[in-house]
Amino acid sequence: MNPARPAFVPDASATREEMESLQREVAAVATWADEFDFDPAAVGPLRDSGSGGDSRQATLSPGSPSAESSLPLVAGVDQAFLDDRAVSVVVVRRGGTVIERAHTVTDLEIPYIPGLLAFREGGPILAAFAELTCDPDLVVFDGSGRIHYRQAGLATHIGVTLDIPSVGVAKGLLCGTPEADVDGRPEGWRTPILADDDVENAEPGERIGHALQSRQYDSRPIVNPIYVSPGHRVAVDTATDLVERLCDGYKLPEPTRLADAYADEVKRDVASGG
DNA sequence: GCGACAG
DNA sequence: ATCTTGTCGC
């Protein structure tokens, strides 16, 4: 894995003012335009809503491992907690194959504070990335990117620190305003999240992410949407397109689900042994 | 003072 | 995030 850019590494011992100041620097160097080499259509399956069959692979015919070698490496990041320690994991896939997993167990320094998540979890996550030997083309984070008071959420902060394309996927909305009412929408539906007065350095009404109804049931609308925003080197629309491709019939993208499961597994091992 | 608030 | 059993449905 490429080394972190030291200037942006989140320091949990910083003062609140220093943390917010660093976030403004992160936001200033982040780019929210597509800046990556891979083909977005190659990150995962997306049912073609049009004609016919059961074709779930966008670029691969099932059972042709050789074609996978050209697919981008997509990583999922997640954490589990045990007392005052964080289990941080990175799971990397190429196509449908997990090619590497890394994890670390780290002491937590500060509590969770909305808007400062990267200072609680960023260090542990970077430690896990340091264990990684491959270089992912895209990283999917559990949390916000641009949808953040200073447009420097976890996905943006770590994306900038590692200078790697990243997207944030949150189960709840931190700030900003959905353009349309989000309740009871059909699967596949999306609406932009607009910057409001809570978002710094953004024109009010600027699109900073999407609410995406990644999963819905026919009968009762009981599923909440997810909130997708660019981390770094990905545009708003592209971030949501990518996440939609990665969801594959579930509410959360596959990289996140794999990372979540692996984090639980490591946590279980740590809890019962060394 | 009131309400909101990723993981 | 975490503490937690069963349960309804495809």
Side-chain angles (χ1 to χ4, degrees):
Chain A
M1 181 73 224
N2 289 326
R5 300 196 280 188
F8 302 109
V9 172
D11 173 14
S13 69
T15 66
R16 182 174 190 128
E17 285 68 32
E18 289 169 337
M19 291 179 179
E20 296 182 352
S21 171
L22 180 57
Q23 290 183 329
R24 294 186 183 94
E25 292 178 38
V26 165
V29 305
T31 176
W32 297 309
D34 290 342
E35 212 172 272
F36 51 80
D37 301 325
F38 61 87
D39 175 7
V43 299
L46 183 64
R47 301 172 209 201
D48 46 86
S49 49
S51 59
D54 197 292
S55 59
R56 301 169 72 81
Q57 287 290 342
T59 58
L60 275 184
S61 52
S64 71
S66 55
E68 283 211 2
S69 58
S70 63
L71 296 178
L73 269 44
V74 180
V77 174
D78 195 27
Q79 292 183 290
F81 300 92
L82 205 52
D83 298 316
D84 264 22
R85 289 177 301 176
V87 174
S88 308
V89 311
V90 184
V91 178
V92 186
R93 286 199 317 168
R94 170 184 274 131
T97 308
V98 174
I99 63 159
E100 189 176 0
R101 304 191 295 186
H103 75 271
T104 55
V105 181
T106 315
D107 291 319
L108 291 165
E109 320 249 336
I110 62 171
Y112 165 67
I113 301 168
L116 298 178
L117 180 64
F119 291 88
R120 171 175 167 83
E121 302 188 350
I125 289 171
L126 289 172
F129 270 101
E131 299 291 306
L132 207 61
T133 64
C134 70
D135 269 272
D137 296 291
L138 174 72
V139 184
V140 180
F141 286 94
D142 231 29
S144 291
R146 275 188 79 178
I147 298 180
H148 179 273
Y149 307 120
R150 289 163 291 281
Q151 297 194 77
L154 180 70
T156 301
H157 202 136
I158 304 304
V160 164
T161 301
L162 297 174
D163 195 20
I164 192 172
S166 64
V167 299
V169 177
K171 300 178 206 67
L173 184 59
L174 177 61
C175 60
T177 308
E179 187 176 282
D181 192 322
V182 155
D183 295 324
R185 299 299 190 169
E187 198 166 301
W189 182 89
R190 68 170 73 171
T191 193
I193 302 301
L194 277 22
D196 55 25
D197 294 331
D198 292 337
V199 182
E200 286 186 15
N201 299 334
E203 314 298 324
E206 190 174 345
R207 298 159 77 256
I208 58 176
H210 284 102
L212 173 67
Q213 193 72 47
S214 52
R215 177 81 202 265
Q216 191 57 280
Y217 300 113
D218 298 319
S219 53
R220 278 171 301 186
I222 56 176
V223 183
N224 297 317
I226 57 178
Y227 297 89
V228 182
S229 57
H232 180 46
R233 294 172 55 177
V234 180
V236 171
D237 290 330
T238 309
T240 304
D241 291 345
L242 288 167
V243 169
E244 188 170 29
R245 288 188 155 284
L246 290 167
C247 283
D248 192 27
Y250 294 90
K251 172 172 176 171
L252 295 175
E254 202 61 25
T256 300
R257 301 180 65 245
L258 288 168
D260 185 69
Y262 184 47
D264 282 345
E265 179 186 328
V266 174
K267 173 182 174 176
R268 183 175 54 70
D269 292 345
V270 171
S272 62

